[in-house]
Amino acid sequence: FQLQASGGGLVQPGGSLRLSCVLSGFTLDSYAIGWFRQAPGKEREGVSCTAPNGGNTVYADFAKGRFTFSRDKAKNTVYLQMNSLKPEDTAVYYCAAGALEDVTIVQALAHPDYMDDWGKGTLVTVSS
């Protein structure tokens, strides 16, 4: 399985970015897909996670109302639209996939180790 995230960059506070994650070797219907991030000196944390088959999507509190998870089944790609970005959103953002047997997406969001496969991250820097 491979996941390739892209779309990061430098953006001013209040700006927007859309991250993309292309999945290969598996379909997004089969696995939960999540976005996670890791800021310098901090642990990796969940941003958003969606259940297999485009089911329920959950967001971290800091992402609610600002970030939107979406998916394009035809392109086997998921996206994270990030609006109203703040300096504290600066981090490397990762997409990940997980079978989540006996684990909910809420649990996976809180515990990234539940995810099975990770892509290389994309750096988002929010600064003026």
Side-chain angles (χ1 to χ4, degrees):
F1 298 167
Q2 285 191 335
L3 304 96
Q4 182 63 54
S6 62
L10 174 63
V11 62
Q12 292 187 341
S16 298
L17 278 177
R18 189 178 79 156
L19 306 183
S20 301
C21 177
V22 180
L23 286 60
S24 58
F26 65 105
T27 64
L28 50 80
D29 276 351
S30 304
Y31 291 85
I33 307 296
W35 285 99
F36 298 83
R37 71 184 189 181
Q38 188 165 18
K42 295 187 177 181
E43 293 187 352
R44 192 169 296 187
E45 62 179 351
V47 178
S48 180
C49 191
T50 191
N53 294 318
N56 193 30
T57 300
V58 295
Y59 295 90
D61 285 345
F62 64 80
K64 291 176 181 177
R66 298 191 300 130
F67 295 1
T68 303
F69 190 121
S70 63
R71 41 186 276 151
D72 186 329
K73 187 176 178 179
K75 295 182 179 180
N76 217 34
T77 299
V78 298
Y79 304 95
L80 184 69
Q81 177 68 43
M82 304 187 295
N83 298 328
S84 302
L85 283 163
K86 305 174 182 179
E88 52 263 44
D89 293 318
T90 295
V92 177
Y93 285 72
Y94 301 87
C95 55
L100 300 190
E101 297 179 1
D102 299 323
V103 174
T104 68
I105 54 174
V106 172
Q107 291 172 315
L109 195 67
H111 302 284
D113 287 348
Y114 282 134
M115 305 301 280
D116 301 311
D117 296 278
W118 293 80
K120 293 182 180 179
T122 185
L123 176 62
V124 172
T125 303
V126 184
S127 175
S128 55

